[in-house]
Amino acid sequence: MQTSISSISETPLEHVDAEKQKSMKNVVAGSLFGTALETYDLYLYGTAAALIFAPLFFPGHDEAVSRLASLASFAISFIARPLGSLVLGHFGDRIGRKKLLYLTLIVMGLSTVGIGLLPTYASVGIWAPIMLCVLRFIQGFAFAGEYSGAVLMLLEHAPRRKRGLYAAINNIGPVFGFIASAGLLLIVSSVLSKEDFYSWGWRIPFVASLVLLIVGVFVRSKVPESPVFLETAAKRSATAAPSESPAIRLFKRYPKQLLLVAGANICHFSTFYLFTVFALSYGQRELGLSNAFVLSVAMVAVCTHLVVVPCAGALADRIGRRTTMLIGFAFTALVAFPFWYLFSMGQFLPMVLGSCLFMTGYGLVYGAVPSFTGEAFGPSARFTGFAMATNVGGIIGGGTAPILGAYLLNHYGSPYAISILTISLAVISATCVYLSAETRDIDIVND
């Protein structure tokens, strides 16, 4: 009889645990796939801007100016992100994380497909780069909400002691996005002749985003809404007084956190885009390496994130977000000069070694920064705060990185000047983290 009673009493608990596990798996799958798709779109453009778009959309007599214009178009996405952060952040805090993630996924995917269908400068003249820049702006606007929402879904579903790890899992998605975009470009460029590739083959990876979009919408349909958002929304509806908009609440209650967290996000954005955009262009233009060669180096190096990023997230749960990020900034600064020395050798193994070191420093920060950023703000302004801080840091660090890299190289004639830039940004971001509060043990449900 005791056994029977015991088994009956345990069944509901087992059922609840199974439901929680299934729900968490769906959240992880939805965030990972969605982020992989969105970063596929972003990195595809970045790689194309570095290696392909200059002669197609920004032709000119001076090759350096043409390449600089192509890289400048890459930065337009970052310019759009603060606006996207305010608009999409507002609705993410008001109507829910899940609904916003549907919207951003669709807008991002369709804008990428649109880029693949654009006429080039040879066909329509100045209208070609204008349309390209408009679609790139739309990409940035959508991504401002996409990445923020995906991280917050994991952060707000995760067990308290594992928030750092689960938030970091989202940041593995960009590995798959980069490998898929670079890999598909590599395959297409290898199969086709150079003439066919520049004529129509480059469009294939962009149009292929439509297939990924359809799959992504299906995967996201299985994801439940954030429990933290649902609790916050219930409290808001139970209050008779009208509530402040998320943006007003953010600027009134969290101005210090916004500035410090934005500053903390600068260095890792710069590190990543100096490598995945500018270094690829440098390898092709300055070292005379093929697209296939530099893409292969980048794909191997980015795979370090599969190990480093989740380990950094788990470490952030054990020793704190701040300490883990400070270790990452120190490592990034230490390998800034060795990276460019090894990369400039133009040989596969030294380039891979230098790139893996550079990406390890980046990964240590990238694994801890999602929980650090999300926990800095209360739930009623968290989406807006996360999006604003991340994307302001992205503009300063990521949007300008390829342009500054090209300028410093042209001005000083050496990539080592770029190492000074990386070290300077690491110091700035580390200072912002040092001045921030540790958030590992806070309650993220209450404002």
Side-chain angles (χ1 to χ4, degrees):
M1 185 61 144
Q2 289 178 345
T3 303
S4 175
I5 293 173
S6 176
S7 64
I8 291 173
S9 64
E10 288 176 1
T11 300
L13 294 177
E14 292 173 353
H15 178 71
V16 169
D17 289 342
E19 286 296 318
K20 285 183 178 179
Q21 290 178 4
K22 182 180 179 181
S23 174
M24 200 66 216
K25 288 179 180 178
N26 288 336
V27 174
V28 170
S31 294
L32 262 179
F33 191 91
T35 301
L37 171 58
E38 303 294 16
T39 49
Y40 170 91
D41 296 338
L42 280 186
Y43 298 158
L44 181 60
Y45 188 98
T47 307
L51 304 178
I52 301 167
F53 281 167
L56 294 176
F57 290 93
F58 305 94
H61 298 294
D62 189 328
E63 185 177 339
V65 173
S66 176
R67 180 177 48 169
L68 192 60
S70 181
L71 292 175
S73 74
F74 170 80
I76 291 174
S77 164
F78 291 92
I79 295 172
R81 292 185 190 186
L83 177 61
S85 299
L86 286 174
V87 175
L88 299 177
H90 173 87
F91 289 106
D93 280 323
R94 282 302 171 89
I95 68 174
R97 310 341 187 183
K98 181 175 179 176
K99 293 177 182 177
L100 250 293
L101 288 175
Y102 273 125
L103 174 64
T104 56
L105 192 72
I106 293 170
V107 172
M108 190 89 176
L110 292 181
S111 62
T112 301
V113 174
I115 290 173
L117 301 176
L118 284 178
T120 62
Y121 191 94
S123 299
V124 296
I126 191 64
W127 286 107
I130 290 175
M131 289 187 287
L132 180 69
C133 291
V134 168
L135 289 174
R136 179 62 175 166
F137 186 91
I138 295 172
Q139 272 192 336
F141 183 90
F143 188 77
E146 165 58 36
Y147 173 74
S148 306
V151 170
L152 293 184
M153 286 290 275
L154 281 167
L155 185 76
E156 295 179 344
H157 274 92
R160 182 168 183 164
R161 296 296 179 185
K162 294 185 177 180
R163 293 197 304 244
L165 173 61
Y166 276 103
I169 288 175
N170 180 80
N171 286 1
I172 301 174
V175 178
F176 303 111
F178 182 81
I179 291 175
S181 61
L184 191 50
L185 270 178
L186 179 60
I187 292 170
V188 174
S189 64
S190 300
V191 171
L192 299 177
S193 66
K194 185 175 181 179
E195 292 73 19
D196 286 341
F197 178 72
Y198 277 91
S199 175
W200 56 270
W202 66 271
R203 301 178 183 276
I204 294 173
F206 286 90
V207 177
S209 181
L210 183 61
V211 178
L212 299 175
L213 171 60
I214 294 170
V215 177
V217 170
F218 173 76
V219 172
R220 284 245 164 112
S221 68
K222 307 293 183 181
V223 179
E225 179 59 271
S226 159
V228 174
F229 169 77
L230 292 175
E231 184 172 337
T232 303
K235 291 178 181 177
R236 185 168 58 243
S237 63
T239 304
S243 59
E244 296 174 318
S245 73
I248 292 175
R249 191 173 185 83
L250 173 67
F251 292 120
K252 284 178 62 175
R253 294 198 58 175
Y254 305 102
K256 178 182 176 182
Q257 290 93 323
L258 182 60
L259 288 173
L260 291 177
V261 176
N265 274 272
I266 292 173
C267 179
H268 78 276
F269 271 107
S270 176
T271 302
F272 187 77
Y273 287 110
L274 276 174
F275 174 63
T276 59
V277 178
F278 175 73
L280 297 188
S281 177
Y282 172 80
Q284 182 200 54
R285 306 287 182 179
E286 306 299 329
L287 304 180
L289 303 172
S290 67
N291 288 354
F293 189 97
V294 293
L295 285 173
S296 298
V297 171
M299 289 169 66
V300 173
V302 168
C303 285
T304 59
H305 300 170
L306 293 173
V307 177
V308 178
V309 168
C311 286
L315 190 64
D317 285 325
R318 292 182 65 87
I319 67 175
R321 285 62 165 129
R322 293 169 68 249
T323 303
T324 304
M325 291 177 68
L326 290 173
I327 293 171
F329 292 131
F331 193 93
T332 299
L334 286 173
V335 301
F337 277 99
F339 163 66
W340 282 110
Y341 172 76
L342 293 166
F343 196 88
S344 297
M345 293 176 71
Q347 300 172 20
F348 186 77
L349 289 179
M351 290 176 74
V352 167
L353 175 60
S355 300
C356 286
L357 287 172
F358 204 44
M359 287 296 94
T360 296
Y362 165 82
L364 287 169
V365 177
Y366 198 48
V369 75
S371 52
F372 170 83
T373 303
E375 292 166 351
F377 309 101
S380 60
R382 180 169 292 137
F383 200 121
T384 306
F386 190 105
M388 280 294 296
T390 299
N391 291 303
V392 169
I395 289 177
I396 300 170
T400 62
I403 301 171
L404 286 175
Y407 169 77
L408 291 172
L409 182 64
N410 289 336
H411 187 74
Y412 292 101
S414 167
Y416 295 122
I418 305 168
S419 301
I420 300 296
L421 171 65
T422 297
I423 293 170
S424 300
L425 294 181
V427 171
I428 291 172
S429 289
T431 302
C432 291
V433 170
Y434 181 79
L435 295 174
S436 300
E438 177 56 60
T439 58
R440 176 181 55 169
D441 296 320
I442 69 164
D443 180 6
I444 64 169
V445 176
N446 297 315
D447 273 316

